[in-house]
């Protein structure tokens, strides 16, 4: 693969820049607002537009509201890593870059390369793998793809942001060996190999220094040792100091326009505590970034690869579906898959995630998809009209309810669809009114001086009688009045923090019994004080009357009993897996385990599809006829699942170990103790730790079945000039074409097994392929006090289909 990552004419320090007044230079180093930087016309610098993120360019808006443009929603990063397919990920990056360029974005805030340290991590879905090499290679290809369209990738969060609890403040204590071998590796490869143009400094600290203030990691390691010539941008609101962060090597404070630099940094330069050359260096870097991304007058972005963005975008949906298929992991199959569609007349589609298929996780990595299909429609489309597909939820694990019905919620003042919002003072006098459409799900509301309450009103037409439920989101004291009856309650947040409030808004369900017809709904919120900005957040959701939990389970069993086959879709969703909060359990939410048991008992031809971003416990794993792991598969995910069930080869292999029990996880807890997280396990993460623990995982790292069979033989290993040359034969020994992921591991003296290479093999039935891989000296090396070195002694190269299925072994003396 050849990639042009160096743009034409990226300038070094610009003489003109240094004549710009100090105040103007410093102002440019803090964002102009949440998603853009200040222009600096004197040097031709235009505003740079920044946008999340790892599942596709969201656009410079947040919250899913009307101002957020539809975009392409990619499979979650764990799913992308599960492809183990460098070329496919490069193409995904290229599509992401093309879309970002089309949306006018210069800097994409992706990829996230923190590791799957604890399976409870709230952003697990947003990270690639527990393995640093797989993470590094997948991220590097994604970066190259994005940047091939003149859009900067931003690798994040540098470093040690592997969990969410107290993420703004904890200090990760990581020894140097683990830091180098595990946590820094993806960043190093991104800088040295993929030449990434931006790096995001994390909220947390590492070994005693906040990451926005870590001179050792930002300047000594990232810039001096690895030669990073791009921009270090802070995570949003992560900068807490002036001179310390400026001197450490942070280049751009986001968001703006306020922040700890501005006038304070100007003063620090004037009083000599920060040399002006430090400011100039940051500006040089910003100008270089602008040149690379076309935000400098006269600079042209490098010509995109042949095919051009328009061609890439035209095939977007097909590409996203192919990617989701390639990332889906077939965990078990007793032969029921692919479904033989000839003898099917009735298929029962069951499960909460069959009704509400989760295509993405929650938080800043969130995109409003430009296209989505329901699972029911996708399955009906592949099964044909003759097959009846029934739909039953079977369980209700969700706390956050759906949106108000678009066509049945009316602003009582304007009579348009939506709600009426007003902010009132202590006397009830309005300080500002606004009509809002039903979207977004919750509304940030600016509170003018004297604001006392926010009042939301809507007229809801109920289409049936029974117990309805509203969910109310926000923090403060609430009074919810429906049809004349008022419920009063309080929902508060300890140490209120706006980012957390936005990302993980507390919610309470308010049930009310009502007949079909119109009801007036009024929600009054007295916002909780203490947020740094005068803003309140208020949201509302709705759920129509439904069966109770027992009756729903019984209905699912009945649907299963009377069907020829069952597709049971269980899982989590953006309410359970999201930025800013870790999960508290690996168990499937609600009564889903019970649902799987009951449905499997009712129909042995049950295929379970797990729709989750991170491992869940599957105590029922042996009961279904097959289990397909679909991740959060992005906008084309429903079609991808339907295609796999009916014959498309599931290409995915697990990029992370699935534990059988919570306590089997080598690292579980995510709560800091006395403000610190001790990475006491060192480099022993995920599968590397299992041999010492005496337990077997439910599914090992690298596991995934194919629809055909594979045989491995004839491993040859020789010491080459720059590393070790490994080659072996892989045969498709089954009766249909398929794809396998051949995995190469190394056991060094005194070190556990670790991945050192992999290759995807596509082969027709019966065909044998010789796979050849180089493992370079650096990959063979470990970190010691003297730097990188190969441990002298007898090493073993092991090859196979997962970290626990390695039929070929060769020994080799090194060092
Ligand atoms: C997240 C970043 C994200 C930024 C901007 C932060 O809360 O940690 O990953 O890029 O917000 O949305």
């Amino acid at each position: 693969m050849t990639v042009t990552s160096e743009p034409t004419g990226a300038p070094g320090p610009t003489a003109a820049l240094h004549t710009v007044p100090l105040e103007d230079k410093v102002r440019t180093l803090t964002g102009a607002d949440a998603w853009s930087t200040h222009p600096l016309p004197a040097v031709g610098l235009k505003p740079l537009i920044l946008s999340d993120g790892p599942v596709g360019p969201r656009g410079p808006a947040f919250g899913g509201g009307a101002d957020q443009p539809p975009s392409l929603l990619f499979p979650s990063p764990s799913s992308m890593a599960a492809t183990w397919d460098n070329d496919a990920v490069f193409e995904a990056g290229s599509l992401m870059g093309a879309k970002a360029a089309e949306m006018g974005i210069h800097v994409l805030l992706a990829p996230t390369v923190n590791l799957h340290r604890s399976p409870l991590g709230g952003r697990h879905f947003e990270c690639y793998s527990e393995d640093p090499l797989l993470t590094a290679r997948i991220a590097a290809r994604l970066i190259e793809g994005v940047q091939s369209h003149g859009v900067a990738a931003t690798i994040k969060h540098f470093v040690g942001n592997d969990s969410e609890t107290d993420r703004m403040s904890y200090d990760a204590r990581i020894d140097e060996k683990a830091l180098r071998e595990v946590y820094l590796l993806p960043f190093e490869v991104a800088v040295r190999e993929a030449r990434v143009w931006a790096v995001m400094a994390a909220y947390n600290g590492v070994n005693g220094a906040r990451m926005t203030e870590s001179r050792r990691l930002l300047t000594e390691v990232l810039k001096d040792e690895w030669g990073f010539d791009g921009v270090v941008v802070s995570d949003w609101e992560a900068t807490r100091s002036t001179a310390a962060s400026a001197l450490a090597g942070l280049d751009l404070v986001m968001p703006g326009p306020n922040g700890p630099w501005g006038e304070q940094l100007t003063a620090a330069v004037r009083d000599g505590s920060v040399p002006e050359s430090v400011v100039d260096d940051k500006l040089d870097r910003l100008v270089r970034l602008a040149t690379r991304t076309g935000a400098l007058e006269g600079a042209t972005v490098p010509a995109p690869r042949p095919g051009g963005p328009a061609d890439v975008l035209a095939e977007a949906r097909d590409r996203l579906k192919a990617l989701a298929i390639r990332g889906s992991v077939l965990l078990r199959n007793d032969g029921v898959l692919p479904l033989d569609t000839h003898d099917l007349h009735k298929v029962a589609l069951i499960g909460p995630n069959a009704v509400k298929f989760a295509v993405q996780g929650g938080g800043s990595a969130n995109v409003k998809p430009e296209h989505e299909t329901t699972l029911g429609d996708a399955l009906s489309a592949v099964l044909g009209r003759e097959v009846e597909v029934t739909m039953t939820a079977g369980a209700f694990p969700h706390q956050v309810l759906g949106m108000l019905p678009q066509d049945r919620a009316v602003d009582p003042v304007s009579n348009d669809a939506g709600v009426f919002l007003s902010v009132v003072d202590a006397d009830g006098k309005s300080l500002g009114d606004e009509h809002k459409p039903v979207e977004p799900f919750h509304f940030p509301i600016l509170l003018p001086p004297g604001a006392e309450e926010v009042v939301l009103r809507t007229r809801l037409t109920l289409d049936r009688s029974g117990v309805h439920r509203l969910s109310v989101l926000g923090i403060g004291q609430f009074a919810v009045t429906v049809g004349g009856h008022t419920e009063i309650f309080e929902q508060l947040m300890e140490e209120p923090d706006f980012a957390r409030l936005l990302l993980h808004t507390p919610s309470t369900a308010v049930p009310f019994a009502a007949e079909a017809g119109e009801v007036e709904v009024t929600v009054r919120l007295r916002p909780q004080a203490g947020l740094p900005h005068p803003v309140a957040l208020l949201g509302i959701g709705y759920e129509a009357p439904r069966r109770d939990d027992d009756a729903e389970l019984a209905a699912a069993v009945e649907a299963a009993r009377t069907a020829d086959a069952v597709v049971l879709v269980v899982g989590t969703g953006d309410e359970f897996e999201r930025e800013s909060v870790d999960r508290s359990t690996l168990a499937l939410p609600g009564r889903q385990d019970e649902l799987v048991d009951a449905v499997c008992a009712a129909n042995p031809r049950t295929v379970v599809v797990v729709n989750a971003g991170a491992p869940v416990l599957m105590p029922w794993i042996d009961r279904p006829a097959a289990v397909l792991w679909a991740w959060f598969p992005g906008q084309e995910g429903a079609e991808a699942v339907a295609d796999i069930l009916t014959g498309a080869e599931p290409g995915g292999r697990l990029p992370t170990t699935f534990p059988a029990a919570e306590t089997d996880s080598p690292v579980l807890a995510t709560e800091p103790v006395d403000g610190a997280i001790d990475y006491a396990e060192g480099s022993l993460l995920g599968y590397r730790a299992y041999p010492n623990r005496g337990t077997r995982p439910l599914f090992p790292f690298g596991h995934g079945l194919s629809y055909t069979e594979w045989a491995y033989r004839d491993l040859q290993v020789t010491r080459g000039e720059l590393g070790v040359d490994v080659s072996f034969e892989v045969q498709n020994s089954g009766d249909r074409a398929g794809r396998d992921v051949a995995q190469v591991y190394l056991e060094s003296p005194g070190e556990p097994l670790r991945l050192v290479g992999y290759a995807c093999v596509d082969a027709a039935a019966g065909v044998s392929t010789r796979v050849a891989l180089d493992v370079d000296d650096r990959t063979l090396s470990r970190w010691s006090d003297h730097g990188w070195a190969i441990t002298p002694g007898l090493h073993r190269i092991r090859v196979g289909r997962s970290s626990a299925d390695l039929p070929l072994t060769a020994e080799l003396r090194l060092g």
Side-chain angles (χ1 to χ4, degrees):
M1 188 195 313
T2 319
V3 178
T4 320
S5 56
E6 205 44 44
T8 40
T14 315
L17 211 66
H18 303 166
T19 62
V20 171
L22 179 64
E23 287 81 357
D24 293 355
K25 289 196 273 192
V26 167
R27 195 187 56 240
T28 317
L29 301 178
T30 294
D33 54 33
W35 307 111
S36 68
T37 60
H38 289 285
L40 191 57
V43 297
L45 185 63
K46 297 188 253 179
L48 283 158
I49 309 296
L50 299 88
S51 156
D52 290 292
V55 295
R58 190 188 66 225
F62 184 72
D67 53 344
Q68 188 178 320
S71 181
L72 297 175
L73 173 60
F74 287 66
S76 64
S78 301
S79 166
M80 280 199 241
T83 66
W84 297 57
D85 186 330
N86 296 346
D87 294 338
V89 173
F90 175 84
E91 294 303 333
S94 170
L95 180 57
M96 236 183 232
K99 185 64 189 174
E102 188 195 63
M103 293 169 80
I105 293 161
H106 302 100
V107 181
L108 187 73
L109 305 172
T112 304
V113 297
N114 301 110
L115 293 187
H116 293 167
R117 181 171 177 266
S118 161
L120 294 174
R123 294 178 94 167
H124 201 282
F125 71 90
E126 201 187 313
C127 306
Y128 291 113
S129 168
E130 70 187 15
D131 184 80
L133 181 98
L134 182 61
T135 300
R137 295 215 172 145
I138 294 291
R141 300 295 90 79
L142 188 100
I143 290 165
E144 288 164 350
V146 169
Q147 295 190 166
S148 72
H149 290 276
V151 171
T154 310
I155 193 163
K156 64 188 188 184
H157 310 84
F158 189 64
V159 62
N161 184 185
D162 306 291
S163 48
E164 294 297 281
T165 309
D166 297 342
R167 66 175 176 159
M168 302 277 180
S169 59
Y170 74 72
D171 187 45
R173 306 268 161 83
I174 316 176
D175 69 53
E176 190 66 14
K177 181 169 154 66
L179 201 53
R180 294 285 184 163
E181 291 179 354
V182 179
Y183 296 97
L184 288 176
L185 189 82
F187 294 96
E188 182 178 3
V189 172
V191 171
R192 290 195 199 257
E193 195 183 294
R195 294 167 178 250
V196 70
W197 295 340
V199 171
M200 184 185 287
Y203 290 118
N204 56 281
V206 171
N207 297 333
R210 259 182 216 293
M211 278 312 303
T212 46
E213 295 170 10
S214 174
R215 188 176 157 73
R216 175 165 134 61
L217 290 169
L218 295 181
T219 296
E220 290 170 21
V221 174
L222 176 69
K223 292 183 174 173
D224 295 349
E225 190 183 317
W226 300 345
F228 176 64
D229 69 356
V231 166
V232 178
V233 55
S234 70
D235 200 344
W236 268 227
E237 314 259 10
T239 319
R240 306 287 161 83
S241 63
T242 305
S245 52
L247 291 170
L250 186 72
D251 300 312
L252 176 64
V253 169
M254 286 300 290
N258 303 315
W261 284 9
E263 283 169 13
Q264 296 166 76
L265 182 55
T266 306
V269 173
R270 295 247 153 82
D271 73 19
S273 42
V274 175
E276 190 159 350
S277 59
V278 166
V279 168
D280 289 342
D281 175 63
K282 298 181 195 313
L283 219 43
D284 287 342
R285 288 170 179 271
L286 211 57
V287 167
R288 190 177 297 120
L289 183 64
T291 310
R292 289 171 159 163
T293 56
L296 195 74
E297 298 291 353
T300 45
V301 294
R305 296 175 319 127
D311 295 357
V312 175
L313 288 169
E315 299 162 1
R317 291 182 187 170
D318 290 344
R319 284 165 178 250
L320 293 177
K321 181 164 96 171
L323 200 62
I325 290 174
R326 207 154 268 196
S328 301
V329 185
L330 184 58
L331 294 176
R332 270 203 53 226
N333 187 13
D334 72 2
V336 70
L337 288 182
L339 289 172
D340 180 354
T341 49
H342 293 108
D343 63 346
L344 290 182
H345 303 287
K346 189 170 172 188
V347 172
L349 186 52
I350 300 177
N353 287 50
V355 176
K356 190 178 169 201
F357 193 52
V359 288
Q360 59 184 327
S364 58
N366 183 275
V367 158
K368 191 193 274 185
E370 55 93 42
H371 174 245
E372 219 181 317
T373 310
T374 64
L375 261 182
D377 288 349
L379 205 57
S380 294
V382 293
L383 292 176
R385 278 206 205 132
E386 311 74 57
V387 183
E388 185 194 350
V389 177
T390 64
M391 173 79 96
T392 320
F396 302 110
H398 301 289
Q399 295 301 319
V400 177
L401 309 179
M403 281 202 307
L404 289 174
Q406 292 272 12
D407 49 345
R408 289 187 279 117
V410 173
D411 171 345
V413 177
S414 69
N415 281 321
D416 292 332
V419 303
F420 181 75
L421 267 186
S422 61
V423 179
V424 298
D425 67 11
D427 303 324
K429 200 170 109 262
S430 169
L431 303 175
D433 297 334
E434 210 181 341
H435 165 81
K436 288 269 190 190
V438 162
E439 271 186 306
F441 197 64
H442 44 49
F443 318 103
I445 304 145
L446 217 59
L447 299 174
E452 190 75 11
E453 271 190 351
V454 180
V455 184
L456 177 152
R457 289 167 57 204
T458 191
R459 199 165 54 228
L460 201 57
T461 306
L462 309 172
D463 64 355
R464 61 192 106 154
S465 307
V467 178
H468 306 253
R469 293 202 301 163
L470 288 173
S471 64
V472 180
L473 296 91
I475 52 170
Q477 284 152 340
F478 290 86
V480 179
T481 308
V482 189
H485 173 77
T486 301
E487 187 122 342
I488 293 173
F489 58 94
E490 209 173 52
Q491 211 161 244
L492 300 175
M493 199 173 190
E494 259 178 64
E495 298 176 32
D497 140 18
F498 191 67
R500 178 114 198 265
L501 176 61
L502 202 62
L503 293 166
H504 191 62
T505 319
S507 151
T508 297
V510 181
F512 65 95
E515 301 291 313
E518 271 185 10
V519 284
E520 298 283 336
V521 175
T522 306
V523 179
R524 309 184 83 90
L525 163 67
R526 199 172 281 258
Q528 181 179 348
L531 280 173
H533 310 290
V535 176
L537 199 75
L538 176 58
I540 183 164
Y542 170 75
E543 188 184 68
R546 57 165 169 81
R547 283 189 281 255
D548 72 22
D549 292 1
D550 290 338
E552 187 62 28
L553 187 68
V557 168
E558 185 55 18
R561 206 182 53 75
T562 54
D564 303 317
V566 177
V567 176
L568 171 55
V569 192
V570 294
T572 59
D574 58 5
E575 163 192 354
F576 304 103
E577 293 189 52
R578 55 185 305 113
E579 177 180 335
S580 88
V581 60
D582 295 313
R583 283 187 296 168
S584 56
T585 170
L586 296 185
L588 279 172
R591 293 171 62 178
Q592 296 187 81
D593 287 338
E594 196 182 333
L595 176 67
V596 179
D597 282 337
V599 167
C600 290
N603 190 329
R605 206 171 171 201
T606 294
V607 176
V608 170
V609 176
V610 189
N611 174 209
V616 296
L617 300 179
M618 295 178 269
W620 37 258
I621 191 68
D622 295 326
R623 307 203 66 182
V627 180
L628 175 70
W629 187 273
W631 307 105
F632 295 146
Q635 67 173 53
E636 305 300 320
E639 277 101 333
V641 167
D643 280 11
I644 294 172
L645 295 178
T646 52
E649 171 83 347
R653 304 293 181 266
L654 293 179
T656 210
T657 309
F658 278 29
E662 260 172 24
T663 46
D664 289 351
S665 308
V667 178
L668 188 66
T670 57
E671 277 100 43
V673 177
D674 295 333
I677 300 188
D678 186 4
Y679 284 45
E681 72 286 357
S683 302
L684 287 184
L685 205 61
Y687 68 94
R688 300 181 188 200
Y690 268 83
N692 292 343
R693 299 178 66 79
T695 49
R696 283 158 62 94
L698 186 63
F699 292 106
F701 174 80
H703 171 78
L705 303 177
S706 159
Y707 279 157
T708 182
E709 302 294 318
W710 299 90
Y712 282 61
R713 61 177 79 90
D714 190 24
L715 171 64
Q716 313 265 337
V717 175
T718 51
R719 182 76 172 115
E721 197 120 301
L722 302 170
V724 169
D725 300 331
V726 179
S727 78
F728 50 91
E729 204 76 35
V730 177
Q731 189 193 10
N732 178 348
S733 52
D735 57 8
R736 51 172 281 164
R739 131 174 302 235
D740 202 14
V741 178
Q743 302 164 35
V744 180
Y745 293 81
L746 175 77
E747 270 170 5
S748 301
E751 296 276 353
L753 188 80
R754 69 187 164 95
L755 183 76
V756 291
Y758 55 88
C760 297
V761 180
D762 290 288
V767 170
S768 224
T769 312
R770 182 127 203 113
V771 176
L773 286 171
D774 301 332
V775 183
D776 62 22
D777 278 356
R778 168 60 201 271
T779 306
L780 295 169
S781 301
R782 313 307 297 148
W783 179 263
S784 71
D785 293 347
H786 316 292
W788 293 99
I790 297 176
T791 318
L794 200 62
H795 296 246
R796 301 204 315 155
I797 295 283
R798 306 196 57 192
V799 174
R801 306 193 59 233
S802 82
S803 58
D805 176 12
L806 298 167
L808 308 182
T809 301
E811 294 195 333
L812 183 76
R813 190 161 288 283
L814 293 173

